[in-house]
Amino acid sequence: MHHAVSSRSARTAPFVGLVAVALVLMGCSSTNTSSTTGADGTSTPPGSTAGGTPAGSTPGSTTGTGLAASGVKHVFIINLENESYDATFGASSKAVYLNKTLLPQGKLLTQYYGIGHASLDNYLAQISGQAPNPNTQGDCVKYVDFEMTGTAAPDQAVGKGCVYPASVKTIADQLQAKGLTWKGYMEDMANDPAAPKTCRHPEIGQADATMFARAGDQYATRHNPFVYFHSIIDSPSCQTNVVALDALSADLASAAATPNYAYITPTLCHDGHDEPCVDGQPGGLTSADAFLAEWVPKITDSPAFKDGGMLIVTFDEAELIGAGADSTSCCGELPGPNTDKPGISGPGGGRVGAVVVSPFVKPGTTSDTPYNHYALLCSTEKIFGLDLLGMAGQPGLACFGPDVFDQQT
């Protein structure tokens, strides 16, 4: 179980005994109870196509197809951990900054869902569209190669394991191929003097030593999806683009230095995973909220954000076990070829909600359109005129449309 001292930390621990847990949970069936549909009833934003932008269009342009027409040039994603929608956005939520300050600035996606349990498969879905397999459902306590035996639609690697072969691509690969920029900012990644300062991950075949928080170093490999793809870790770009969070402040100083795609992962304490934290901080939503209060203003005050930015704050998954357990799904989520139940006891990762802030989003509004992490990938790829990877191309999946981008600038 978990190194931290609370029951909450224990229930979010990596599932070394995943099969045993799954057998216990199989008696609790879970289905998606949401019947809310989008106001426009479509899965494609106005003027968009499933492909890219036409020749001559660029991210942030006001002409052409795809969500590039929204004007977004810089996407910022902040992932927090393991909270249900009601806990985060309910009346008694400890996330005061998120609810009282940030929500009035943006749009609450009330029907946003994780795609599985436990953590890692949700992170991988956000950047690659790959569905869960037994290893990623178990958070890859051992950092082993993915044993690929074939492919299946839509664009799924068949097999099991953790680190995907170079043929399996991510949005980072897509952006780089198009001449656009990306970075993953990982809090505490450079804090272990014996570990690499960038692109930090175990050796192939070795146990992941970051499963539990350590005083002074609360980085978790499983919350850094970029290091689970050989297309990235075998490339020099991993050393330059998968960096510690400290680098973000300098990068935000100018729009030119700010990547088109910024993926931000707090520590096991500041993402709300642990409660309390190994260093004595309260953890949970209290520490996650403090992280947002520190970093969100730096993002929203930056030149890049003011000139076509979009910030998404969401959670990887809802509770897996306990009174608040939720393994529901939305959006007609497919299980993929490698596991029947992405949510272990159900079809998905549960309802978590998300907040979108942008000059192109009306402040203080909501959208009830069902979205999930695959939809986030789809939306981001359409913004930059990229093809849709994996489950982001699932038929019928809604990507952000006029219900989200509802303000002209």
Side-chain angles (χ1 to χ4, degrees), residues 100-117:
K100 302 298 185 182
T101 300
L102 192 57
L103 270 185
Q105 299 176 27
K107 184 181 297 289
L108 174 61
L109 306 184
T110 65
Q111 300 297 321
Y112 189 103
Y113 286 72
I115 60 88
H117 291 303

Side-chain angles (χ1 to χ4, degrees), residues 82-318:
N82 299 20
E83 294 289 353
S84 69
Y85 179 89
D86 290 340
T88 302
F89 299 105
S92 60
S93 173
K94 296 179 181 179
V96 178
Y97 173 83
L98 176 61
N99 284 282
K100 302 298 185 182
T101 300
L102 192 57
L103 270 185
Q105 299 176 27
K107 184 181 297 289
L108 174 61
L109 306 184
T110 65
Q111 300 297 321
Y112 189 103
Y113 286 72
I115 60 88
H117 291 303
S119 291
L120 178 58
D121 48 0
N122 289 285
Y123 288 83
L124 300 179
Q126 288 184 351
I127 72 165
S128 73
Q130 292 299 313
N133 74 75
N135 294 73
T136 59
Q137 284 182 306
D139 278 341
C140 284
V141 295
K142 192 172 184 180
Y143 188 77
V144 297
D145 275 331
F146 184 91
E147 299 172 3
M148 187 168 171
T149 60
T151 59
D155 193 26
Q156 296 295 295
V158 178
K160 62 180 180 178
C162 302
V163 188
Y164 287 85
S167 60
V168 179
K169 301 301 183 183
T170 70
I171 190 171
D173 300 298
Q174 292 179 302
L175 290 166
Q176 194 159 308
K178 194 168 182 177
L180 301 174
T181 53
W182 66 277
K183 274 190 178 180
Y185 297 93
M186 308 291 149
E187 190 176 21
D188 273 14
M189 186 171 68
N191 285 22
D192 184 346
K197 304 303 182 186
T198 62
C199 191
R200 178 178 168 186
H201 59 81
E203 295 293 328
I204 297 293
Q206 298 301 305
D208 183 358
T210 68
M211 284 291 167
F212 309 115
R214 298 127 339 257
D217 175 22
Q218 300 185 66
Y219 166 75
T221 308
R222 65 190 183 278
H223 297 170
N224 176 3
F226 301 104
V227 297
Y228 291 87
F229 297 88
H230 276 287
S231 64
I232 295 176
I233 64 172
D234 296 343
S235 166
S237 65
C238 192
Q239 304 299 329
T240 56
N241 292 7
V242 184
V243 299
L245 177 63
D246 297 346
L248 180 58
S249 293
D251 289 351
L252 290 173
S254 70
T258 305
N260 297 110
Y261 179 87
Y263 192 99
I264 300 162
T265 299
T267 63
L268 286 167
C269 181
H270 295 156
D271 64 11
H273 182 280
D274 291 358
E275 186 179 21
C277 303
V278 69
D279 60 1
Q281 294 184 63
L285 280 173
T286 300
S287 291
D289 201 53
F291 178 90
L292 295 178
E294 176 183 358
W295 283 97
V296 167
K298 295 180 181 181
I299 294 169
T300 56
D301 290 342
S302 70
F305 184 87
K306 292 178 179 179
D307 182 25
M310 180 176 76
L311 167 67
I312 302 99
V313 178
T314 190
F315 293 76
D316 67 332
E317 58 175 324

Side-chain angles (χ1 to χ4, degrees), residues 25-117:
L25 293 174
M26 288 305 176
C28 303
S29 62
S30 179
T31 58
N32 180 17
T33 59
S34 172
S35 60
T36 308
T37 56
D40 60 354
T42 64
S43 60
T44 308
S48 70
T49 65
T53 55
S57 293
T58 59
S61 69
T62 57
T63 60
T65 62
L67 282 182
S70 70
V72 175
K73 303 175 184 176
H74 298 272
V75 173
F76 303 86
I77 298 172
I78 298 177
N79 274 293
L80 304 176
E81 280 276 319
N82 299 20
E83 294 289 353
S84 69
Y85 179 89
D86 290 340
T88 302
F89 299 105
S92 60
S93 173
K94 296 179 181 179
V96 178
Y97 173 83
L98 176 61
N99 284 282
K100 302 298 185 182
T101 300
L102 192 57
L103 270 185
Q105 299 176 27
K107 184 181 297 289
L108 174 61
L109 306 184
T110 65
Q111 300 297 321
Y112 189 103
Y113 286 72
I115 60 88
H117 291 303

